[in-house]
Amino acid sequence: MERTNISTGQFFTALFVSRISAAISLNAQYAGGGDLLDSAASCLLALAASGLMALPLWLALRLGGGKSLPQLAVEGGWLGRLVPAYYLFFLVFSGGSALGMFQVFLGDTMDPDFSSGLVSAALLGVALYGALRGLETVGRCGACVFAALVLGGGLVFGMAAVRFDPDNLEPLFYHGLGQTARSFPLFLARTSIFAEMAVLLPQVKGRRALGFGGWLVGTGLFLSGLLVLVVGCLGRYASTQNFPVYVLASLSQVRSLRRLDALFTGLWMMGLIIQLAMGLYACRVCFRTLGLGKKEPRWSLWLAAGAMLGLGLLTAGSTGLQGLTLNPNSLAWWAAGAGTLAPLLALVLGLRGKGKKPPQKEKR
């Protein structure tokens, strides 16, 4: 397997910026109602649940002793091939879903004169190039995007904060716990990084558990804080918009820049590129684990990229398919499988594989 010098900070920073679309694409339809402030509580609960669900993953990685979960599972027998196959499916599915959501945004909100499919193909091409260059390249790019997010996002939402009115904030759970329960699967699915961790963490150096904890806290504060800002600035008007964060950015102005919605869209595109690049590289590792090449096959990147693009195009063009690929409940179940069920299977098969190894003869 290809080894890299990517650090814990680079890895989890890249994963942080790759999940900013979870906040940017949030709307009342997928959040389960108009009480978006209650969704902030759902976000924190979902991330706390993610930390608990990841425990089998960490145990399996510790047992692997430097091996990824797909490798560990495959060593336990033919049944172990289900683990890399599952992660491969999940990575392609989540990448295609993210592309489909971005195309829906372009078509419904921006209504560009050019094809949104070409935009998605261009983004995927950039992500493919990064994945071909290796994980270290993706990690360094993620650090640059993080700097852009801090500066650009700070500008957009700093200007928007002028509109903040505490009277727009209704009490938490004012209409019960219904929306909190409905929003929980949404954040669990869209903030999931289980697959990337299971496949790529052995190539990361440093205090990985600390990095994961920092990612949980940082993502929770960012997403929940952004929701509070949106509700405080837009009030109930936010629940009537398909993409309320975009509306908030479009209402923010700087003298020379005028509206800041273009900057908002650019941040989403950069985060999406990092997500796709990380997913494509993880797909490459899964193909290698399945025994489809002595080295991590580069052709597998082209195959996975084509599958992601095809799913994204089909999602954008079919409302029926959107009910499957963008449904937070179904996505949450797939994420739970990647975070808990697949690691448990890898853990059992890894223990079984260790038990089958013949004892080594003592050297005289």
Side-chain angles (χ1 to χ4, degrees):
M1 177 180 290
E2 179 181 347
R3 292 293 171 181
T4 66
N5 295 319
I6 187 173
S7 68
T8 298
Q10 288 176 320
F11 182 71
F12 284 103
T13 297
L15 289 176
F16 173 80
V17 300
S18 72
R19 296 308 190 264
I20 61 174
S21 62
I24 291 174
S25 61
L26 182 68
N27 56 38
Q29 176 186 356
Y30 294 111
D35 298 324
L36 293 179
L37 195 60
D38 290 356
S39 296
S42 301
C43 170
L44 298 177
L45 289 173
L47 287 167
S50 295
L52 295 175
M53 291 171 61
L55 290 178
L57 189 152
W58 287 102
L59 288 174
L61 285 172
R62 187 168 184 177
L63 173 68
K67 299 174 183 176
S68 67
L69 259 64
Q71 282 182 303
L72 181 65
V74 167
E75 291 182 356
W78 64 268
L79 187 61
R81 293 180 179 272
L82 293 176
V83 174
Y86 182 85
Y87 281 123
L88 185 61
F89 162 79
F90 179 77
L91 289 163
V92 171
F93 186 80
S94 58
S97 174
L99 269 179
M101 175 63 77
F102 184 71
Q103 287 189 79
V104 170
F105 162 74
L106 290 178
D108 292 354
T109 304
M110 300 194 69
D111 192 20
D113 296 331
F114 47 85
S115 171
S116 60
L118 292 178
V119 178
S120 295
L123 292 177
L124 196 57
V126 176
L128 178 61
Y129 174 77
L132 286 169
R133 297 288 296 176
L135 184 59
E136 186 176 0
T137 300
V138 178
R140 289 179 177 179
C141 184
C144 296
V145 175
F146 177 76
L149 174 64
V150 171
L151 296 176
L155 175 62
V156 172
F157 302 120
M159 297 299 299
V162 178
R163 299 174 175 270
F164 189 87
D165 184 357
D167 292 336
N168 289 329
L169 302 178
E170 295 182 352
L172 279 174
F173 317 125
Y174 183 73
H175 297 104
L177 299 175
Q179 174 145 349
T180 304
R182 289 189 295 269
S183 298
F184 180 85
L186 172 71
F187 288 102
L188 182 64
R190 292 192 181 173
T191 60
S192 166
I193 59 171
F194 298 131
E196 289 88 345
M197 288 172 55
V199 178
L200 300 178
L201 264 183
Q203 300 186 44
V204 178
K205 296 182 178 180
R207 303 175 67 180
R208 297 176 293 185
L210 181 63
F212 179 59
W215 178 86
L216 285 174
V217 173
T219 303
L221 291 177
F222 175 76
L223 295 180
S224 59
L226 182 56
L227 282 171
V228 172
L229 179 63
V230 168
V231 176
C233 293
L234 301 179
R236 299 297 296 183
Y237 177 67
S239 63
T240 65
Q241 302 300 305
N242 287 337
F243 297 93
V245 182
Y246 172 80
V247 173
L248 181 62
S250 65
L251 294 175
S252 305
Q253 297 183 5
V254 179
R255 290 181 181 179
S256 58
L257 296 177
R258 298 295 179 182
R259 289 169 44 174
L260 299 179
D261 47 351
L263 180 58
F264 161 90
T265 307
L267 290 175
W268 189 348
M269 292 171 66
M270 288 188 289
L272 184 57
I273 288 173
I274 299 300
Q275 179 182 355
L276 294 173
M278 191 79 75
L280 286 172
Y281 186 84
C283 287
R284 178 180 170 185
V285 177
C286 289
F287 270 105
R288 169 66 180 89
T289 308
L290 287 169
L292 301 178
K294 295 181 179 179
K295 297 182 179 180
E296 295 174 1
R298 294 199 169 195
W299 58 263
S300 63
L301 287 173
W302 293 91
L303 183 61
M308 287 182 184
L309 181 60
L311 182 59
L313 293 175
L314 291 173
T315 297
S318 171
T319 55
L321 189 58
Q322 289 174 20
L324 174 64
T325 58
L326 302 183
N327 188 312
N329 293 316
S330 62
L331 288 172
W333 281 110
W334 292 120
T340 303
L341 297 180
L344 284 175
L345 179 59
L347 186 62
V348 171
L349 292 173
L351 291 172
R352 177 186 173 188
K354 280 194 171 185
K356 285 185 175 182
K357 289 183 178 180
Q360 296 181 354
K361 296 181 179 181
E362 296 183 1
K363 296 182 178 180
R364 296 181 180 179

